[in-house]
Amino acid sequence: MKQQGAHPEDTEGTPDVSSRPDTAEPETAHIDEVEGDEPLLPARVHRPSDLMRLLAGVLAVVVLLAIAAFAHGTTSGLEQDINKGTGQAPDLLIKIAGLASSIAILLVPVAFAIERLIKRDGLRIADGVLAAVLAHGVTLATDLWVARAAPDSIQEALTQPSPGDIHALTDPVHGYLAPVIAYMTAVGMSRRPRWRAVLWVVLLLDAFSMLVTGYTTPFSIILTVLIGWTVAYGTLYAVGSPNVRPTGRTLMAGLQTVGFHPVTASRVESGDASETGDRGRRYFVTLEDGPPLDVTVVDREQQAQGFFYRAWRNLALRGFATRSSLQSLRQALEQEALLAYAAIAAGANAPKLIATSELGPDAVMLVYEHSGGRTLDSLPDEEITDDLLRDTWRQVQALQSRRIAHRRLVGDAILVDRSGTVILTDLRVGEIAAGDLLLRMDTSQLLVTLGLRVGAERAVASALSVLGPDTVADCLPMLQPIALSRSTRGTLRRLARERAEREREAVLEASRQSKAGRAEQDAGEAVPDKADKPDKPDKKAVRAEQRAEKRALDEAMDEAREEDLPSQIRHEVLRIRPQAPVEPARLERVRPRTLISFIAGAIGAYFLLTQLTHIEFGPLIANAEWGWVAAAVLFSAASYVAAAMALLGFVPERVPFPRTVAAQVAGSFVKIVAPAAVGGVALNTRFLQRAGVRPGLAVASVGASQLFGLGCHILMLLSFGYLTGTEKTPSLTPSRTVIGGLLTVAVLVLVVTSVPFLRKFVVTRVRSLFAGVVPRMLDVLQRPQKLVTGIGGMLLLTACFVMCLDASIRAFGDDTTSVSIASVAVVFLAGNALGSAAPTPGGVGAVEATLTVGLIAVGLPKEVAAPAVLLFRLLTLWLPVLPGWLAFNHLTRKAAL
């Protein structure tokens, strides 16, 4: 059967999109014919649920390996308990279970494949075979990794001596079981209860027989199941699952089952699918003996669209502002039907739901009376009258009178029919018995939606005339981006970019006019006789011109600055209600920054555990000199004061010193997230901007500090290296090692400067890093006190770290194992340079290795160097993480970061 395209002109009440000559094809909609099996639908779809199961499986594998690596005692005890319990099983039962499972593990997949082939479902069998092949490859790779590269604790948890050969180990992963699990999962056995029950019985029998006979461990079985399950869903997400969406014929047949006699059906799609893709497919259906219908079809695939966005909203927002991330089809059907009936009962104009039905196991259908009309987005500006705005607010007022929240009052959810009546659609995501916050969010959303079309003044005036000043004023705390729809936030961001571009153009034009005016003035004041001109320009005149230009730019910025729409709405409301609350409500449960902090903490904990697992703390604590440990703690604490001095010395503006120290403490937490050179620069730049320093000047100040720090670092490294080389030569000449190092550095510099590619690369990076530094340095040079503070802070910072490392060495050594301060300084400076260049957070791994090797190279025993470096890193990297996290959160709450 082939359905022809709809002919709205033949039926009364057809859509305005076809009946109005001036709006024959709105930009936000288009109509496609429904033909037979809809061949344009993709044969396969990538389900978000498969991706979520893949990620969950990967996470489970990581957790299992982490438990095996760090909880060795627990794994050993678990294996002993299981072996003790299964060892009492009768031999006959063991043999029967082993024989039955070994046969069934091969027969069940074959039987299921035959059943699928009989039903002409060969694509699923192909998916299962591909998943089985991939799972087998993953098991081989895992076996190889466990045998050659995995830590001993993981190897002991996944293997044990083979009963047949005590010199051999059992397989870490069962190469035959994981492919079977992957195959059965990929072919969709989980949706068939009988086959699923058979599979679980076979798996349990096989696991029981393998455990009892000693050919596996509990962790090996769990890892095998997880690998098979994860690979299966990864395969399904990569190649896609067969599309089970109902076809056009299925839709027509479904309408007939609920008593309608359809003739034609036309597909109506929304132009913006970024936020509406999960609202189902919409059809305009004509009947033999009645008015046309609007039909919405919701299937599992479309319902899953937007899942990750909704999941993030549920995680980020508080519970009162969210809904279920992934509803079942039955729940979606009941939700939309309930909202449709509730809206009409409340007296609002909403599409009338007249029938619902299932379209097979994977889709549902909702049938509405055809309402017709055009969306608010498609209406021209001259047709959006004040009466239309007030009617829109009256519909929302009717919903809110019965505590119904629409949750999506955007332009394409507001329909206007031929008579000008407003109809609210897309009630599927709404809420009944909604709280005050949800109702206020609806009000703020509609204010912004209408404001984008008619401006803030008309939008607020229409809301005040219907809802009253108190209700409108109460919504101001909700007037924030997180409370608005995704499409509205996207529109506001686009308008903000356009506004910023206009402001930039205005400032550039003002700068050009200022320069042109100065050029005309200079030309008018020019003296014909060149000898009368001064040799050098007057400094006061130059400064006056610079101040005048800066004043002109500031005035141009003030004149060009435009308020965003939410700010305009606030000002319009405050004109009526000056005492209205304007402080944004706390809607977010988890902010992106909080999530980053959590991830950073997890990364830091992982690195710390890997550093501490190989250290025996008993002898270290017993032999430590606690006086030197206390001295190392004091030197570490003093480094934050020195870091604050080093930063403020290059900031001519007034910045509070205590808060700057707190920012440096917060930097100890940021170092766990990113490499030290990157995280510190970003945090200090952000801190200076929040302290009132302009963004360009803040970047220049941090760049100047980094530039001077780099210069001091190189000079100190060369100086201390020279002194270290002369310590063991009576003539105070440097050793061959020092000379060789200096020559190596010189050769590298020559290579970089002689190769055009390398030279361009270095120059580009340095120029981008220190852009604007030179003008900033000229400002600093005019204040010698600031310059002394900056350079003194850098020298003091290096001295604090060197003394901290020296105190850590003396805490575990004695007079016979001590090394000179110059040698400690060289080791620290080299390790710090490598740590800044290393891509790991805080230079973890690279700094420890460099410091340990360096201390051993200058004559310190390994037994002293290793614990000394560990103590130094604990005091300067790990222990400050908690105070840094507290300082970071404190400064964030105070809007200082």
Side-chain angles (χ1 to χ4, degrees):
M1 179 184 68
K2 177 177 179 179
Q3 293 90 26
Q4 301 298 324
H7 299 284
E9 65 272 17
D10 298 334
T11 309
E12 183 180 358
T14 53
D16 285 353
V17 296
S18 300
S19 60
R20 294 181 59 95
D22 56 340
T23 57
E25 190 75 22
E27 295 180 358
T28 56
H30 64 273
I31 296 180
D32 298 330
E33 290 184 0
V34 178
E35 297 184 3
D37 292 337
E38 288 191 293
L40 294 179
L41 289 177
R44 288 179 172 268
V45 291
H46 301 277
R47 297 174 177 170
S49 57
D50 292 337
L51 179 59
M52 292 300 298
R53 292 186 177 99
L54 168 63
L55 297 177
V58 173
L59 179 61
V61 170
V62 172
V63 171
L64 180 69
L65 295 178
I67 293 175
F70 298 110
H72 178 65
T74 303
T75 58
S76 300
L78 179 62
E79 292 180 8
Q80 293 175 3
D81 294 339
I82 292 178
N83 291 334
K84 182 178 179 180
T86 56
Q88 301 176 359
D91 293 339
L92 180 61
L93 177 62
I94 297 173
K95 293 179 179 180
I96 293 176
L99 179 63
S101 62
S102 60
I103 296 176
I105 206 92
L106 298 177
L107 291 182
V108 171
V110 175
F112 188 76
I114 295 173
E115 190 260 349
R116 288 290 90 197
L117 290 175
I118 292 175
K119 295 185 177 182
R120 298 182 179 181
D121 196 7
L123 287 177
R124 291 187 182 273
I125 302 302
D127 295 341
V129 172
L130 177 60
V133 172
L134 294 177
H136 183 66
V138 173
T139 57
L140 292 179
T142 304
D143 288 344
L144 185 63
W145 173 72
V146 172
R148 298 187 178 182
D152 295 339
S153 56
I154 293 180
Q155 190 178 75
E156 293 176 3
L158 297 177
T159 62
Q160 62 182 8
S162 177
D165 185 1
I166 59 174
H167 300 290
L169 297 177
T170 58
D171 294 332
V173 182
H174 301 287
Y176 70 91
L177 189 59
V180 171
I181 296 173
Y183 169 84
M184 301 303 284
T185 304
V187 297
M189 180 174 288
S190 59
R191 298 183 180 180
R192 293 164 175 81
R194 295 181 180 178
W195 286 102
R196 184 176 63 231
V198 172
L199 177 62
W200 276 111
V201 170
V202 171
L203 292 178
L204 290 175
L205 285 176
D206 184 76
F208 172 76
S209 60
M210 296 290 287
L211 282 173
V212 171
T213 54
Y215 281 97
T216 190
T217 66
F219 279 83
S220 176
I221 293 178
I222 297 174
L223 181 61
T224 301
V225 174
L226 289 176
I227 288 177
W229 190 73
T230 304
V231 171
Y233 284 111
T235 304
L236 290 178
Y237 185 75
V239 303
S241 301
N243 196 343
V244 295
R245 292 181 178 180
T247 63
R249 293 181 178 180
T250 307
L251 169 64
M252 305 297 268
L255 289 171
Q256 291 176 355
T257 60
V258 292
F260 298 103
H261 302 284
V263 177
T264 61
S266 298
R267 174 81 175 273
V268 180
E269 289 278 354
S270 175
D272 182 12
S274 62
E275 189 175 1
T276 62
D278 62 336
R279 288 164 30 207
R281 290 176 289 159
R282 301 184 178 189
Y283 297 87
F284 171 74
V285 180
T286 60
L287 304 177
E288 292 180 357
D289 52 356
L293 305 173
D294 291 330
V295 181
T296 300
V297 177
V298 182
D299 55 63
R300 294 187 187 276
E301 307 309 328
Q302 278 193 306
Q303 188 195 17
Q305 292 184 19
F307 167 78
F308 296 108
Y309 172 74
R310 294 195 300 271
W312 166 248
R313 296 274 291 184
N314 285 352
L315 175 65
L317 297 183
R318 296 179 181 271
F320 59 77
T322 61
R323 65 183 178 95
S324 176
S325 299
L326 186 59
Q327 296 175 315
S328 66
L329 284 174
R330 172 63 60 178
Q331 290 174 331
L333 177 67
E334 294 173 351
Q335 173 84 358
E336 186 163 352
L338 177 62
L339 265 296
Y341 293 137
I344 294 176
N349 296 329
K352 183 178 180 181
L353 182 66
I354 57 178
T356 58
S357 176
E358 292 185 350
L359 296 179
D362 297 310
V364 294
M365 173 182 65
L366 298 101
V367 183
Y368 294 91
E369 287 185 355
H370 177 64
S371 54
R374 293 171 295 168
T375 64
L376 182 69
D377 287 341
S378 63
L379 285 178
D381 293 341
E382 61 271 11
E383 294 188 23
I384 304 179
T385 63
D386 291 339
D387 291 337
L388 179 63
L389 298 178
R390 285 191 291 269
D391 191 14
T392 304
W393 284 111
R394 279 192 286 268
Q395 305 310 315
V396 175
Q397 185 184 40
L399 292 180
Q400 295 190 353
S401 66
R402 301 297 178 85
R403 314 296 296 181
I404 300 173
H406 188 284
R407 301 296 305 277
R408 196 182 169 276
L409 287 170
V410 295
D412 61 356
I414 301 172
L415 205 64
V416 182
D417 65 10
R418 290 181 178 179
S419 62
T421 302
V422 175
I423 302 172
L424 299 181
T425 62
D426 292 339
L427 286 160
R428 178 181 171 191
V429 297
E431 296 279 352
I432 62 170
D436 291 337
L437 288 177
L438 285 181
L439 300 181
R440 295 173 187 172
M441 288 173 66
D442 267 1
T443 304
S444 62
Q445 171 66 59
L446 187 55
L447 279 173
V448 176
T449 298
L450 298 180
L452 290 172
R453 292 303 312 272
V454 301
E457 184 177 357
R458 289 183 62 191
V460 173
S462 60
L464 292 172
S465 64
V466 177
L467 301 181
D470 293 334
T471 303
V472 177
D474 289 340
C475 81
L476 291 187
M478 303 293 112
L479 205 61
Q480 48 183 307
I482 193 66
L484 303 176
S485 68
R486 180 162 52 173
S487 60
T488 304
R489 294 199 302 271
T491 303
L492 292 178
R493 285 194 297 267
R494 176 178 58 81
L495 294 177
R497 289 193 296 267
E498 295 175 357
R499 188 169 58 250
E501 184 64 24
R502 290 194 298 270
E503 294 176 356
R504 177 176 173 274
E505 290 295 333
V507 172
L508 292 178
E509 181 62 25
S511 177
R512 286 193 292 267
Q513 293 179 358
S514 177
K515 291 179 180 179
R518 288 202 309 273
E520 293 178 359
Q521 183 179 0
D522 294 342
E525 296 176 355
V527 180
D529 188 1
K530 185 176 180 180
D532 295 338
K533 299 181 91 175
D535 295 335
K536 295 183 179 179
D538 187 2
K539 293 183 178 180
K540 293 183 179 180
V542 172
R543 292 197 191 99
E545 290 179 0
Q546 292 177 349
R547 286 195 296 268
E549 182 179 0
K550 180 180 178 182
R551 198 162 44 246
L553 294 179
D554 292 340
E555 292 175 356
M557 177 64 74
D558 293 337
E559 294 177 358
R561 185 172 290 114
E562 304 175 22
E563 286 188 332
D564 58 357
L565 180 61
S567 298
Q568 296 176 24
I569 293 175
R570 289 191 189 93
H571 291 163
E572 291 294 331
V573 176
L574 291 175
R575 288 173 54 190
I576 308 299
R577 278 286 187 272
Q579 70 277 15
V582 295
E583 185 68 23
R586 178 69 184 275
L587 301 179
E588 293 177 288
R589 177 193 298 154
V590 178
R591 298 183 178 181
R593 184 175 298 176
T594 306
L595 185 61
I596 293 175
S597 301
F598 175 77
I599 295 174
I603 294 174
Y606 170 77
F607 281 118
L608 179 60
L609 288 175
T610 57
Q611 292 291 318
L612 300 182
T613 50
H614 304 291
I615 301 297
E616 297 181 3
F617 288 96
L620 291 181
I621 297 175
N623 299 328
E625 294 288 341
W626 291 101
W628 285 111
V629 172
V633 171
L634 293 177
F635 286 125
S636 176
S639 65
Y640 297 103
V641 178
M645 294 172 56
L647 176 63
L648 293 183
F650 299 91
V651 182
E653 292 81 4
R654 184 175 180 82
V655 179
F657 184 78
R659 183 164 286 187
T660 307
V661 176
Q664 305 314 302
V665 176
S668 61
F669 169 71
V670 177
K671 286 192 297 186
I672 303 299
V673 183
V678 177
V681 169
L683 182 135
N684 286 328
T685 303
R686 177 70 172 175
F687 170 73
L688 293 179
Q689 292 178 8
R690 288 290 190 175
V693 182
R694 292 189 177 183
L697 299 180
V699 174
S701 294
V702 176
S705 175
Q706 294 288 317
L707 180 60
F708 263 81
L710 178 62
C712 291
H713 195 99
I714 294 175
L715 290 177
M716 286 187 291
L717 182 60
L718 295 176
S719 301
F720 285 115
Y722 183 88
L723 293 176
T724 302
T726 62
E727 287 177 349
K728 299 181 180 180
T729 56
S731 60
L732 295 180
T733 58
S735 64
R736 293 182 178 181
T737 303
V738 175
I739 295 176
L742 294 177
L743 290 177
T744 302
V745 173
V747 170
L748 291 176
V749 172
L750 290 176
V751 170
V752 171
T753 55
S754 60
V755 178
F757 171 75
L758 294 177
R759 183 173 64 250
K760 182 179 180 181
F761 178 82
V762 173
V763 170
T764 302
R765 294 298 182 273
V766 173
R767 183 179 299 170
S768 63
L769 181 62
F770 299 111
V773 169
V774 175
R776 193 61 165 169
M777 288 308 306
L778 295 177
D779 295 338
V780 174
L781 290 175
Q782 296 178 4
R783 302 184 181 184
Q785 183 179 0
K786 281 282 187 178
L787 188 61
V788 171
T789 302
I791 298 178
M794 291 177 182
L795 296 176
L796 180 60
L797 178 63
T798 302
C800 288
F801 281 127
V802 171
M803 296 305 296
C804 180
L805 180 58
D806 183 71
S808 301
I809 294 173
R810 296 178 185 275
F812 298 101
D814 51 32
D815 295 337
T816 61
T817 59
S818 62
V819 293
S820 66
I821 291 292
S823 300
V824 175
V826 170
V827 171
F828 165 75
L829 291 171
N832 188 50
L834 185 58
S836 299
T840 57
V844 173
V847 174
E848 287 82 358
T850 304
L851 293 180
T852 303
V853 173
L855 291 177
I856 295 175
V858 297
L860 199 65
K862 180 180 179 181
E863 294 75 14
V864 177
V869 170
L870 175 61
L871 176 61
F872 173 75
R873 292 292 279 172
L874 283 176
L875 296 179
T876 58
L877 179 66
W878 297 112
L879 292 184
V881 169
L882 180 58
W885 179 74
L886 296 175
F888 186 87
N889 288 333
H890 172 74
L891 294 177
T892 301
R893 288 194 301 269
K894 297 295 185 180
L897 280 181

